[in-house]
Amino acid sequence: MSKISMKPTNDYCPQTLFLYGTYNEDGKADFGLFCWFSYTWDGELGVMACIGGSKRTLDNIHREKVFSASLVTEKLLPLSAYLGNTDGNDPAKMEGLNLEIEKGQVLPVPVLAASPVTYELEVKQFLSLHDGEVMLCAIRNVLQDEMLAGENASSTEKLAEIAPVKTTCNRYFSWKGENLGAWGEPMAKLSK
Ligand SMILES: Cc1cc2nc3c(=O)[nH]c(=O)nc-3n(C[C@H](O)[C@H](O)[C@H](O)COP(=O)(O)O)c2cc1C
């Protein structure tokens, strides 16, 4: 295979998407969409996450040191695209969304009831960069839909059922690889 050199890009390297949930200072929940998320090992499984620039989510995490990360599925895509394209410093961002928000079972974090998998994360280390921040997190709890723990379906069937969304090349893709639209598009299906 002959290859050509490129400037830094993650095109053609699909990523999983998560909604990070945090509480604002007034106790209201804020959610944003994130993909720079992966795992670490230090005697147990952990999470590493990068946030670029200044964001409401980052301000909240600096203050609280905890957040939730909920897996984005096809059902959640219009909402997720909206939450990834709307600034949390706009006081109207979270208004009129009709979300079922629960509290974490271990940490004081807002959790989206409609996501089948949510991590409750505690930041153990902030690595401050020039225009971004990497957070190394302990996984304090994993909330999974009961259906995923059941033994009457294979992992292949369960993944097809929850349909996690992937992203690369500025687009969303279904678990099976179908095009679900450019980053800005699915939010048009959200009634707000
Ligand atoms: C597909 C997609 C993935 C994103 N991933 C990240 C990410 O990993 N890190 C980041 O800093 N911003 C990311 N963003 C941008 C945030 O979602 C956006 O800044 C959002 O406003 C954050 O929510 P907040 O303003 O309520 O904090 C992404 C946006 C999209 C559309």
Side-chain angles (χ1 to χ4, degrees):
M1 191 185 292
S2 73
K3 294 187 177 171
I4 56 170
S5 297
M6 309 283 290
K7 293 199 172 119
T9 173
N10 56 9
D11 280 357
Y12 303 101
C13 300
Q15 292 179 276
T16 312
L17 285 160
F18 291 89
L19 290 169
Y20 294 176
T22 55
Y23 286 118
N24 298 331
E25 257 177 321
D26 64 4
K28 289 190 182 144
D30 179 68
F31 286 91
L33 179 62
F34 295 87
C35 61
W36 300 331
F37 178 106
S38 195
Y39 303 95
T40 58
W41 182 259
D42 190 21
E44 62 176 0
L45 190 70
V47 158
M48 57 184 173
C50 181
I51 294 189
S54 85
K55 276 167 200 169
R56 165 75 84 168
T57 299
L58 187 61
D59 291 345
N60 289 346
I61 297 174
H62 279 156
R63 199 180 56 253
E64 308 281 336
K65 314 285 185 283
V66 291
F67 64 106
S68 67
S70 293
L71 184 70
V72 173
T73 62
E74 282 183 49
K75 272 188 214 143
L76 283 167
L77 185 57
L79 169 72
S80 304
Y82 165 81
L83 294 170
N85 281 287
T86 314
D87 188 341
N89 290 312
D90 174 353
K93 175 171 183 175
M94 298 301 298
E95 280 170 19
L97 287 177
N98 194 22
L99 298 182
E100 197 185 329
I101 299 172
E102 297 166 348
K103 209 165 191 173
Q105 290 185 13
V106 170
L107 295 177
V109 289
V111 169
L112 270 187
S115 173
V117 182
T118 298
Y119 293 102
E120 298 181 43
L121 299 171
E122 180 182 355
V123 182
K124 304 305 286 181
Q125 244 176 292
F126 289 97
L127 304 176
S128 192
L129 310 174
H130 177 61
D131 185 33
E133 199 144 345
V134 174
M135 303 177 297
L136 302 180
C137 310
I139 302 172
R140 292 294 181 221
N141 195 24
V142 185
L143 295 166
Q144 270 193 9
D145 191 310
E146 278 175 351
M147 181 275 284
L148 296 175
E151 292 188 356
N152 52 348
S154 66
S155 50
T156 308
E157 289 164 334
K158 290 174 189 172
L159 280 162
E161 172 73 23
I162 62 173
V165 173
K166 295 174 280 190
T167 186
T168 190
C169 303
N170 295 3
R171 305 193 80 81
Y172 302 107
F173 293 90
S174 73
W175 180 246
K176 292 175 183 163
E178 294 129 350
N179 171 27
L180 298 177
W183 278 351
E185 283 173 5
M187 62 193 270
K189 293 191 191 133
L190 184 73
S191 54
K192 190 189 164 180

